[in-house]
Amino acid sequence: MANIVIVGTQWGDEGKGKITDLLAEEADIVVRYQGGSNAGHTVRVGEEVFRLHHIPSGILYRGKLCLIADGMVVDPEVLKEEIENLIKRGISVEGLRISQNVHIVMPYHRILDGIWESRMGKGRIGTTGRGIGPCYADKAARIGIRMSDLLWEERLREKLLINLEEKNILISHYRPDLPLLKLEELLPRYLWLGDFLKPYIANTSLIIQSAMDKRKNILFEGAQGTLLDINYGTYPFVTSSHPIAGGVCIGAGIGPKKVDKIIGVCKAYITRVGEGPFPTEIKDGMGDYLRERGAEYGTTTGRPRRCGWLDLVALRHAVKVNGIDSLAITKLDVLSGLPKLKVCVAYKLEGREIEDFPMDANILSKCEPIYAEVKGWEKIEGAGDFSALPREAQEYLRMISSYAGVPISIVSIGARREQTLGWRSRGEGYLWDRIVVDTVD
Ligand code: IMP
C-alpha cells in the first residue's frame, strides 16, 4: 500500500501522462487535484493516442476509479465532450467521479481570460485561453459556481444573476463586439450539463479517505508543473493553481502525512509554452530541431513550445518545494544523435554565480545560464536495464541525479508503455512499493 504523487518539475509538458499511465496499472484510484482543461495529457496505448484534459489518465484501465477532486476547475462542455469521446472509442467511464466542490468554468471566464490577456499587452501571460485564471479568481472572491450548484435551479439562477450583472459590464466595456450573456440561455444549458454529469458527482475526498483506511494504492496525478505554480513558479507567468505536491492536500482533502512517495517528472531537456522568462531557451536552429524531434506542440492549444537545455537550477528548486523522492526522466531518446549536450548547472546574475532559483520573474529574466557540456550518444535501442543504455546516456542521468540530489527511478525512451526503463509489465512483478529503490547508481 502506498500513496504516490506525480508532479511536473518544469513548466508542464514533462510527459506526466505516460508516467501516470504506467503507475496507474497498480493503483486502485487515480486522482487529479488541480487545474482544469488547460492540461492536456497525452497517453499512447498500442497504436492509439488519447488526449485527456480533465479526466485522470487511469481511465484507460477498465473500471479504475478516477477522481476529479475538489481543487480542480471543470469546464462541463469540455468534460462532456471528453466523456463522449472516450465512450465512442470503447473506453468505459464508469469509474469516473467528480467532486461536488469543483468550480465551474463558465463562458464568461473564457471571454475574460482573453480580455485580461489583451489588456496586458506585452506583459501578457500567454494563457491557454480556457478561462482558468478568471474561474479561480471567482473561487477566491467567493462568487464562483460549483458543481453541486448545477443540480439546484434556484441556487444556480441566483449565482448566475450576480455574476452576469458584473461580467456583462466588463464584456460590454472591453468587447462591445460580443453579445451580452443571457440568463435565459445559460441557465437551461448549465442545468442540462448538471443533469448529464449527475451520475458522476460525488464527495471525492470521502472516497479517498475511506480508500486510505482500506490501505488501497492511490495515485495523485499533477497537471502543469512546479514552475507554473502560483506561489513557487515564475509569477505572474504561472497558472492559477498549485501543481506542486502540497497541492494534493488542499486539492484532494488529505493530510500531508498521508503522502508516501513523490515522483518528479523531468524531461531530458526543457520546454515552455506561453510567455515568461526562460534562462536556457535555445533561440537558434537547435531549438527548432528539438521541437520537431520531440513533437513539442501544445496538446491543448497546438502552440509550438519554446525549447531549451535542461536546467538543473530549476530542477533543484522543484525537488525542494515538492519534497521529491525520485525522478522520472522522460524523452531521453529525443536527445540521441547529438554530439554534445549542454546542461545548466548555475546562473550568472549581475556578475555573481547563483545556484538558487529566483522566483521573481524580473530577476529570472536577468539570469544567464552557466552550462556544463557533456558528450552525447548515437542512439538508444530498445528497453532494458539502465546498464543497457549507452555509456554517455548513463553519465547524463548520473549528472542529473547527482545535481538534483535524488535518485532516478524511471527513464522513458519513447512514447509507448514498453519503452520505459525501471518499469516491468505485470507478471514480472512491478514495483509500486519498490519504485524509489530501483535507481540509477
Ligand atoms: P492558464 O493556466 O491557461 O491560465 O495559463 C497560464 C500559463 O500556464 C501559460 O503560460 C500557459 O501556457 C501555461 N500552461 C497552462 N497549462 C499548461 C499545461 O498543461 N502545459 C504547459 N503549460 C501550461
Side-chain angles (χ1 to χ4, degrees):
M1 189 287 298
N3 302 315
I4 295 183
V5 179
I6 291 178
V7 287
T9 60
Q10 302 169 333
W11 280 289
D13 306 317
E14 299 93 350
K16 294 178 293 296
K18 171 175 168 176
I19 305 301
T20 306
D21 175 62
L22 292 178
L23 289 173
E25 186 179 356
E26 296 199 359
D28 297 297
I29 305 185
V30 186
V31 184
R32 260 203 58 198
Y33 54 91
Q34 46 71 228
S37 68
N38 48 350
H41 290 170
T42 308
V43 183
R44 187 182 290 266
V45 183
E47 290 312 304
E48 287 214 69
V49 177
F50 295 88
R51 293 201 169 84
L52 300 161
H53 295 289
H54 294 98
I55 303 178
S57 317
I59 203 76
L60 303 176
Y61 292 96
R62 194 175 183 83
K64 182 110 27 197
L65 209 48
C66 285
L67 312 186
I68 291 179
D70 310 58
M72 284 188 71
V73 293
V74 166
D75 186 328
E77 297 280 10
V78 178
L79 179 57
K80 173 180 157 289
E81 230 180 274
E82 224 172 306
I83 291 172
E84 286 173 342
N85 276 337
L86 285 171
I87 293 172
K88 226 185 281 165
R89 294 175 70 179
I91 306 288
S92 159
V93 289
E94 69 197 61
L96 177 65
R97 300 286 179 280
I98 309 162
S99 164
Q100 59 206 5
N101 292 342
V102 291
H103 277 249
I104 301 296
V105 178
M106 299 295 292
Y108 47 77
H109 291 135
R110 289 192 293 266
I111 299 172
L112 286 175
D113 201 346
I115 291 175
W116 291 1
E117 282 286 84
S118 57
R119 287 188 61 219
M120 288 203 265
K122 267 195 180 159
R124 73 183 192 284
I125 289 156
T127 70
T128 59
R130 296 298 183 106
I132 304 298
C135 182
Y136 276 115
D138 278 357
K139 173 180 176 177
R142 290 156 298 177
I143 53 167
I145 293 173
R146 308 211 287 186
M147 187 55 83
S148 55
D149 296 326
L150 303 191
L151 306 178
W152 301 93
E153 181 168 347
E154 269 327 294
R155 209 154 85 191
L156 183 59
R157 181 195 302 278
E158 268 172 39
K159 290 196 164 190
L160 273 174
L161 269 173
I162 289 169
N163 275 288
L164 287 182
E165 191 186 346
E166 171 192 292
K167 268 64 177 191
N168 273 334
I169 292 173
L170 290 170
I171 293 169
S172 62
H173 181 76
Y174 289 110
R175 290 293 308 270
D177 55 310
L178 292 180
L180 293 182
L181 294 164
K182 293 194 182 72
L183 180 74
E184 320 76 89
E185 283 168 15
L186 287 187
L187 183 63
R189 180 65 188 161
Y190 281 79
L191 284 171
W192 186 88
L193 287 165
D195 206 44
F196 177 86
L197 295 174
K198 196 172 172 183
Y200 308 104
I201 301 176
N203 181 339
T204 52
S205 68
L206 214 57
I207 296 175
I208 295 170
Q209 286 147 11
S210 97
M212 282 180 168
D213 289 344
K214 293 184 189 127
R215 302 181 65 72
K216 302 268 188 200
N217 286 338
I218 306 180
L219 183 63
F220 295 94
E221 173 185 12
Q224 288 84 46
T226 304
L227 306 180
L228 289 172
D229 185 277
I230 192 162
N231 283 356
Y232 303 99
T234 49
Y235 191 89
F237 303 98
V238 292
T239 191
S240 300
S241 65
H242 294 288
I244 61 165
V248 168
C249 296
I250 44 172
I254 61 158
K257 287 198 236 163
K258 297 287 184 189
V259 171
D260 297 302
K261 288 169 189 170
I262 300 167
I263 298 176
V265 184
C266 173
K267 195 149 58 180
Y269 49 99
I270 191 166
T271 59
R272 169 161 216 178
V273 62
E275 307 303 317
F278 181 177
T280 64
E281 181 168 15
I282 310 172
K283 294 204 169 127
D284 58 23
M286 176 54 73
D288 301 332
Y289 170 84
L290 284 179
R291 186 175 310 111
E292 294 315 311
R293 235 354 261 266
E296 297 294 353
Y297 292 89
T299 310
T300 301
T301 58
R303 289 181 291 178
R305 296 176 185 146
R306 299 154 69 192
C307 297
W309 297 114
L310 184 61
D311 184 337
L312 294 177
V313 180
L315 180 59
R316 268 195 304 253
H317 166 70
V319 167
K320 286 185 218 153
V321 295
N322 288 292
I324 286 170
D325 292 297
S326 74
L327 294 171
I329 306 294
T330 58
K331 291 194 155 182
L332 188 67
D333 54 304
V334 172
L335 298 180
S336 297
L338 294 173
K340 275 188 194 151
L341 307 170
K342 288 186 185 178
V343 191
C344 171
V345 291
Y347 295 151
K348 197 167 186 184
L349 175 65
E350 290 160 352
R352 281 179 307 121
E353 196 173 311
I354 60 166
E355 290 191 350
D356 290 324
F357 184 77
M359 283 178 276
D360 182 310
N362 277 329
I363 297 179
L364 188 63
S365 66
K366 293 191 184 118
C367 288
E368 283 169 41
I370 298 174
Y371 287 117
E373 263 195 5
V374 296
K375 259 182 143 180
W377 55 90
E378 194 51 40
K379 58 181 172 188
I380 293 174
E381 283 171 286
D385 237 72
F386 294 111
S387 57
L389 286 172
R391 202 168 39 81
E392 295 81 3
Q394 290 183 32
E395 280 305 312
Y396 190 64
L397 294 175
R398 272 197 201 97
M399 182 175 185
I400 297 172
S401 173
S402 134
Y403 267 84
V406 288
I408 292 170
S409 49
I410 298 174
V411 180
S412 170
I413 54 168
R416 293 202 309 278
R417 283 176 179 167
E418 59 275 19
Q419 291 175 304
T420 316
L421 316 183
W423 170 75
R424 325 264 183 287
S425 61
R426 194 184 278 286
E428 283 177 55
Y430 175 66
L431 241 224
W432 182 270
D433 283 317
R434 290 189 291 119
I435 188 80
V436 178
V437 192
D438 198 1
T439 58
V440 180
D441 51 26

